Amino acid sequence: MTTTHYNPEPLTADNAALVLIDHQVGLMTGIRDFSIAELKHNVVGLAKAASALEIPIVTTTTSAETLWGPAFPELQAALPDQTFIDRTTVNAWDDPRVEAAIRATGRKKLIFAGISLEVCAAFPAMRAVREGFEAYVAVDASGNFNSTKRETGMARLVQSGVVIADGASLMIEILADNASPKAMEVYSALAMDWSILVGQVRTSAIEQAASS
């Protein structure tokens, strides 16, 4: 994979927005590089963490009533007040309502995740770069239908100047300070295995100290 030296300024809660594209029940059935449970976990964690950090969120579906069905229920539950913009264009950015919603966030750093990395996430991320935005793709919240698509999709993103990362790292970069009052909610939202264990150890230690 080609490497670049692109190193933009850090993400913050004031300069970033999250765009979740087409995490729909019908499309989930084709994912092969993650288990469905793992992908759902990553997408929901990303959505909840972004909400905790008060980052603007744009969500879309494509042909929900005729082809791919609604966004998967766990994501809808995580974002109960969210409107999912349904469209027919392959590239979400090509729908004027989606573009308007993204621009309305007023943010220049856009984090994308899509049900397919090489199309749903990549196409609008590359368009964002062409439009003068800084684009990131949360690869662990973006699935693929086979390994070739994942490899070529990742390469194309890097070639296009899009930053690739995992969603948890992007959210923690935005959190920035573990002393923040939002830290516990963010880590809880991401529900990373190691952080859950650390929390359990901490809780146990506090309980033991209280009982001694």
Side-chain angles (χ1 to χ4, degrees):
M1 183 181 295
T2 303
T3 58
T4 71
H5 300 288
Y6 180 54
N7 186 22
E9 292 296 315
L11 292 157
T12 71
D14 296 320
N15 66 22
L18 175 64
V19 186
L20 298 176
I21 302 167
D22 302 354
H23 292 96
Q24 295 165 254
V25 291
L27 291 169
M28 295 288 285
T29 63
I31 299 304
R32 295 293 179 266
D33 54 344
F34 292 108
S35 70
I36 299 301
E38 183 179 2
L39 182 58
K40 283 184 174 183
H41 172 275
N42 294 343
V43 175
V44 169
L46 182 61
K48 286 183 175 180
S51 294
L53 291 163
E54 301 181 80
I55 300 167
I57 302 173
V58 176
T59 53
T60 81
T61 55
T62 182
S63 303
E65 294 186 3
T66 58
L67 285 176
W68 309 124
F72 66 83
E74 294 90 338
L75 180 57
Q76 294 188 59
L79 301 172
D81 300 320
Q82 190 75 24
T83 297
F84 288 77
I85 302 170
D86 192 54
R87 62 180 208 289
T88 59
T89 60
V90 172
N91 185 340
W93 195 291
D94 290 344
D95 186 294
R97 296 167 300 159
V98 176
E99 179 180 2
I102 292 172
R103 292 187 182 278
T105 68
R107 308 301 173 87
K108 294 297 288 184
K109 293 177 178 283
L110 304 176
I111 300 168
F112 293 89
I115 191 62
S116 69
L117 180 141
E118 84 287 355
V119 173
C120 298
F123 286 5
M126 293 187 295
R127 173 74 182 273
V129 171
R130 292 195 296 270
E131 296 285 339
F133 293 81
E134 294 177 8
Y136 301 71
V137 167
V139 297
D140 60 339
S142 305
N144 279 104
F145 303 135
N146 59 56
S147 60
T148 300
K149 287 180 176 295
R150 185 168 192 82
E151 291 168 6
T152 56
M154 296 270 275
R156 191 174 184 192
L157 285 169
V158 172
Q159 292 162 358
S160 300
V162 177
V163 177
I164 56 175
D166 67 281
S169 294
L170 295 171
M171 293 299 104
I172 292 169
E173 180 177 343
I174 293 170
L175 174 64
D177 188 348
N178 287 320
S180 167
K182 297 178 181 178
M184 187 63 71
E185 186 177 359
V186 171
Y187 283 113
S188 296
L190 294 171
M192 295 176 288
D193 292 344
W194 66 268
S195 66
I196 292 172
L197 290 172
V198 169
Q200 290 170 343
V201 170
R202 181 175 180 273
T203 300
S204 177
I206 291 172
E207 291 174 348
Q208 288 181 357
S211 62
S212 61

